[in-house]
Amino acid sequence: MKRFVATLMLGALSSWAAADTDHFAQRFALDLDGNAAYYTLTLPDTVYAASQRTDLGDVRVFNGAGEPVPYSLDGRRAAAPAPTLRAVKWFALPTPDAAAPSAALGVTIASDGSLRAAPAAKAAGTAAGTQADLIDLGRLDGSADALQVHLGNDSYQGRVSVDASANLRDWQALPDAQLLKVGRDGDTLTQERIALDGLRVRYVRLHWLDRAPQIASIDVEVQPGDTAATANASAPRQWREGVAATPGAAAGDYLFDTGGAYPVDRLRLNLPQPNTVARVSIYSRPDAQTPWRELTQATLYRLHGATGEQVNPPLEVEPDSDRQWRVSVDMRNGGLGAGALTVAVGWRPAVLTFVARGEAPFTLGVGNGALTSVAAKREDIVIDESSSTASARVGAALPALPQDAPAPPAADRDAKRRYVLWAALILAVGSLGAMAWRLARGASRG
């Protein structure tokens, strides 16, 4: 009898658990390159949009037999230490073609790769007529997050194109940047930072698209880190554009939902009106039941000038997978004015590595808040780095399986759990009562 009761209770609880863990909001085919023991893929935005957990704990990889296979998930980095600033040398290149600096341009290349000024070169400030500057970052113990170009001008506004190279021959184009320095009533608004997005290169070339500034000094922001901490640094940053922000209850508040479990580390706030300067605070939270958490404060601007429109660079925050965000504008300067605020959110996608155990086709399931993460450390599943590893991609969405019917709301799941537990408890109490009655009856007969 006891065994029967225990079996009944376990069966009821198991059926409840299976109803929650078999469901996936989305299933995707995995397209594989070649035949390998391991496959690595970068998670697209469709996976983040379907996930119901901020840590992607509801991601699973299955083989053709429907069996889950081991996988690792790299991308959620721990909070990085503050970058260090280091002064660097730069060299004026008074020519539109700075791809091959040489002694004719006043620059020589030493055997260790460092750049040195020839007698005719000027390494401080920017000479009249200079169209480009070449910067030697030196040997970095880490990655280059950004350049800080300190302007000597009292007032400056201009655009600059940015290229990076490891050998002065092959150049990689980076997004254009804008530098700004304006003053009013004793206050100064500056934008002297050029993002390099964690590059590991030796040289950076700045080509001035407008008039060249007077440069007082240049620093590079160096972010120390090892391979594990930057596992997804090579994955290009993805952006979700056109996220609409709606006015909140308080004046100057704007609310928006990212629409997925994206690990947002960049925010681009598109101001509705030109010639706007506003001080803002940024908050986030996972849901409406959680208090707001302040992430950062910043000055936003959108200014018209002789060289075109100048806007602030994207705001940087620690990777944050909260869906709900709030922009609180300091209204003492008039706020943002009329018009709609739109937002673009950027993130570094996670890199998933799985073991190709079993037969194809392999699939990926995601979207079940009842699941918890089973991702392993990469070093625990990739036994030998020299083993066969190939690329994979998240392909087309697959039709839902029978068990993938829409999951009940959380309140319904909790109610179901209570009903199952109460039923099991009533059965157990009834069984114990029956056993006690039998014992009492046997004793009376004896």
Side-chain angles (χ1 to χ4, degrees), residues 203-412:
Y203 311 103
V204 175
R205 186 177 63 202
L206 305 180
H207 183 230
W208 305 104
L209 303 177
D210 303 309
R211 65 185 179 93
Q214 290 292 327
I215 299 177
S217 62
I218 301 178
D219 293 326
V220 60
E221 294 181 12
V222 181
Q223 180 66 65
D226 53 23
T227 303
T230 58
N232 68 330
S234 60
R237 180 172 284 106
Q238 297 182 2
W239 287 89
R240 183 167 185 255
E241 306 277 354
V243 179
T246 58
D253 275 5
Y254 297 85
L255 308 176
F256 66 93
D257 191 308
T258 61
Y262 311 105
V264 175
D265 65 352
R266 296 291 188 277
L267 287 175
R268 190 163 59 235
L269 304 177
N270 304 309
L271 301 178
Q273 292 190 7
N275 297 326
T276 298
V277 178
R279 185 71 180 171
V280 301
S281 299
I282 309 295
Y283 302 83
S284 78
R285 64 183 182 183
D287 52 56
Q289 287 70 44
T290 306
W292 290 106
R293 176 172 58 95
E294 184 174 1
L295 304 179
T296 189
Q297 297 182 355
T299 298
L300 308 181
Y301 57 85
R302 179 184 172 188
L303 303 172
H304 273 312
T307 60
E309 190 170 77
Q310 196 89 347
V311 297
N312 59 275
L315 305 184
E316 299 184 11
V317 296
E318 289 297 330
D320 188 330
S321 296
D322 288 348
R323 292 182 60 121
Q324 297 186 11
W325 292 67
R326 171 179 148 214
V327 180
S328 183
V329 181
D330 187 339
M331 297 297 291
R332 288 176 292 182
N333 291 326
L336 303 185
L341 174 69
T342 60
V343 183
V345 296
W347 69 94
R348 292 278 192 190
V351 176
L352 185 148
T353 302
F354 69 91
V355 183
R357 187 190 67 207
E359 299 295 328
F362 289 88
T363 59
L364 183 145
V366 61
N368 185 340
L371 296 178
T372 57
S373 178
V374 295
K377 295 181 179 179
R378 192 177 189 276
E379 56 267 26
D380 290 340
I381 64 171
V382 180
I383 304 303
D384 184 358
E385 290 290 346
S386 64
S387 298
S388 175
T389 303
S391 298
R393 293 166 302 282
V394 174
L398 299 175
L401 297 177
Q403 66 266 31
D404 287 337
D412 292 347

Side-chain angles (χ1 to χ4, degrees), residues 35-117:
N35 185 17
Y38 301 98
Y39 289 92
T40 298
L41 61 98
T42 300
L43 295 184
D45 59 350
T46 51
V47 173
Y48 286 99
S51 178
Q52 297 179 14
R53 293 185 58 90
T54 58
D55 60 354
L56 296 178
D58 53 354
V59 169
R60 297 292 187 271
V61 179
F62 301 94
N63 60 22
E67 301 169 337
V69 299
Y71 71 93
S72 68
L73 199 58
D74 300 313
R76 288 299 304 269
R77 294 179 290 176
T84 58
L85 288 179
R86 197 180 82 181
V88 296
K89 295 181 179 180
W90 76 99
F91 303 85
L93 303 176
T95 171
D97 182 11
S102 65
L105 299 177
V107 176
T108 61
I109 305 172
S111 58
D112 62 355
S114 62
L115 301 181
R116 298 177 182 177

